[in-house]
Amino acid sequence: MRLVVVGNGMAGARLVSEVRARDPRMPVTVFGAEQGRPYNRVLLSNVLAGQARPDQLGLVDLSWYDTHRVRAVLGGAVAWIDRESRAVHTADGRREPYDLLVLATGSEPIVPPIPGVERAIPFRTLDDCDRIVKTAADSRRAVVVGGGLLGVEAARGLAGRGLPVTLLHLAGHLMERQLDPEAGLVLGETLAALGVETRTGVSAAAVERDGVRLADGELVEGDLVVLACGVRPLTGLAAEAGLEVRRGVVVDDELRTDDPSIFAIGECAEHDGTVYGLVAPAWEQAAVAADVITGGKSRYRGSRLVTRLKASSVELAAMGETHLTDEHAEVVRFSHRARGTYRKLVIRDDRLVGAILLGDTDAVGTLTQLYDRGGPVPGDRAGLLFPGPASAARADSPTLMPDAARVCHCNNVTKGQIRACWEAGAKDVAGVAAATRATTGCGTCREAVAGIVGWLCEQEGVPA
């Protein structure tokens, strides 16, 4: 069975490694539109903020392909799919036959069709990040267009480099997909204290030499303009090949399209009406598709999302159905704007179905476990928002954390799996990461993994 993978980003690269882990002999060819090795796009905001180097983002070394007998065609975009003869064709005339094909084409940044937009820099790829950093070095002020997750991270990163930043957002509050209006307001006030001015409910009409012209005629000054206006699934290849496409490439529980020899995963795929834009679902899909491709029986049932903002001095976690109101669910809130704190629980049928934690996130461990497991919520709702020493220990202490608790959400790694690989010889965080991939996604679980490893070492008298 010849496997061809179109796309060598976070979804495609993971799919290839998952297949190779299950079948060392299957012929595999992967096409990547970018020239270099696959990298962790989630951590681009860390590069922008100066907290990571570009060379620290690589997912695998290029030598990995040769070592694992994977043929990688980098910088060679696939132009069309011939479903009748089962082959993909590149723009430069290359033809690659397949028995099974996986589309992991990802998404592209949305660029608003406004005058002068070519002066702005989208924030999507490593090359984009490099351009932004170089331009920022000679800039006096920056404007970021788009106040979703990526836009907030970009604005905070540029402010951390000492640039005054104005963040423009069309919606009425920041991160409206994950946050309710009050949480968006508190987030904006938190960013203001860090050097980011937020303007919501405004529309960019043009990008000019001196900044962004708003629809009402006002000029927001800035000699660096960054676009973070969202992304759009790349579905052109699939649509031109006659596959079913709605918002994304439609797939079933095996991640197959309506052509059983073609799969789709990651940001280009639409499963049960949902297109996921985060890395954890893409990696879950990669594991399921790899299992099916190599003869397994796995099925994908959707993903439970926990969004973590990666911005220095801003702690934010959001999960599930955060927009439900008191008419449809039990909603428990606490807001202290002066301290930049907002906490919200959404409970339905005595189950936690959503939560927002902004500011101190000491409750995130307990809430994430409740959300993941879908178990009944304790009667003391206030105790969930403000965990005392006992409940905090249950969530955060390696001693009391159950083995089933998910520690790394990007890679779906539990405490029990970390314990097992430690017992198998991985005695430090690097070893655990190599064995389980924990910490290699967004990186927010690193402290928890280090705590578990340190506790295990202490229990056995092993030097940490």
Side-chain angles (χ1 to χ4, degrees), residues 9 33 53 125 284 389 407:
R53 302 187 311 274
T125 69
E284 290 175 22
V407 179

Side-chain angles (χ1 to χ4, degrees), residues 369-388:
Q369 290 176 37
L370 276 174
Y371 175 67
D372 280 342
R373 294 199 302 264
V377 176
D380 180 13
R381 311 308 204 214
L384 288 176
L385 286 180
F386 304 99

Side-chain angles (χ1 to χ4, degrees), residues 215-231:
D216 64 2
E218 179 188 355
L219 179 68
V220 179
E221 294 184 357
D223 40 8
L224 166 61
V225 178
V226 175
L227 299 179
C229 304
V231 295

Side-chain angles (χ1 to χ4, degrees), residues 330-334 343-352 363 367 370 375-387:
E330 176 188 350
V331 180
V332 185
R333 297 183 188 84
F334 172 81
R343 302 183 182 195
K344 177 180 181 179
L345 306 179
V346 182
I347 301 166
R348 186 173 56 201
D349 300 328
D350 205 34
R351 302 291 190 272
L352 184 69
L367 295 180
L370 276 174
V377 176
D380 180 13
R381 311 308 204 214
L384 288 176
L385 286 180
F386 304 99

Side-chain angles (χ1 to χ4, degrees), residues 37 48 93 107 150 158 163 177 207 216 236 259 339 431 439:
R37 62 177 176 165
L48 191 60
S107 55
L150 196 61
L158 289 169
L163 275 180
R177 291 187 179 181
V207 179
D216 64 2
D259 181 332
R339 294 192 60 181
T439 76

Side-chain angles (χ1 to χ4, degrees), residues 383-404:
L384 288 176
L385 286 180
F386 304 99
S391 56
R394 279 195 295 273
D396 303 324
S397 168
T399 309
L400 299 176
M401 182 186 294
D403 275 358

Side-chain angles (χ1 to χ4, degrees), residues 20-193:
R20 190 48 85 226
R22 291 165 172 79
D23 187 335
R25 295 181 300 277
M26 177 180 286
V28 178
T29 301
V30 57
F31 288 86
E34 294 185 65
Q35 280 284 356
R37 62 177 176 165
Y39 57 87
N40 189 336
R41 199 183 303 275
V42 176
L43 299 181
L44 284 176
S45 57
N46 290 1
V47 175
L48 191 60
Q51 297 172 344
R53 302 187 311 274
D55 61 358
Q56 295 175 314
L57 270 57
L59 295 172
V60 296
D61 292 325
L62 292 179
S63 60
W64 183 92
Y65 297 103
D66 291 334
T67 303
H68 293 82
R69 293 189 298 161
V70 172
R71 190 161 36 152
V73 183
L74 305 180
V78 171
W80 62 286
I81 302 167
D82 184 347
R83 289 172 55 192
E84 186 174 347
S85 67
R86 291 194 178 183
V88 299
H89 296 257
T90 64
D92 60 4
R94 182 187 182 108
R95 178 183 183 275
E96 188 70 35
Y98 66 83
D99 296 301
L100 295 175
L101 174 65
V102 178
L103 300 179
T105 49
S107 55
E108 62 182 350
I110 294 174
V111 177
I114 57 176
V117 73
E118 67 279 356
R119 294 190 178 97
I121 307 175
F123 183 35
R124 177 64 180 165
T125 69
L126 194 54
D127 286 343
D128 294 336
C129 192
D130 181 60
R131 287 179 60 202
I132 293 170
V133 170
K134 288 179 178 176
T135 305
D138 297 320
S139 298
R140 291 172 286 103
R141 186 174 188 88
V143 179
V144 177
V145 182
L149 178 67
L150 196 61
V152 170
E153 291 180 352
R156 175 63 186 108
L158 289 169
R161 288 181 173 271
L163 275 180
V165 181
T166 303
L167 178 58
L168 307 178
H169 194 43
L170 180 62
H173 66 275
L174 297 174
M175 292 181 61
E176 74 280 2
R177 291 187 179 181
Q178 294 88 10
L179 305 182
D180 62 18
E182 189 169 0
L185 176 64
V186 176
L187 175 59
E189 292 172 343
T190 300
L191 291 172

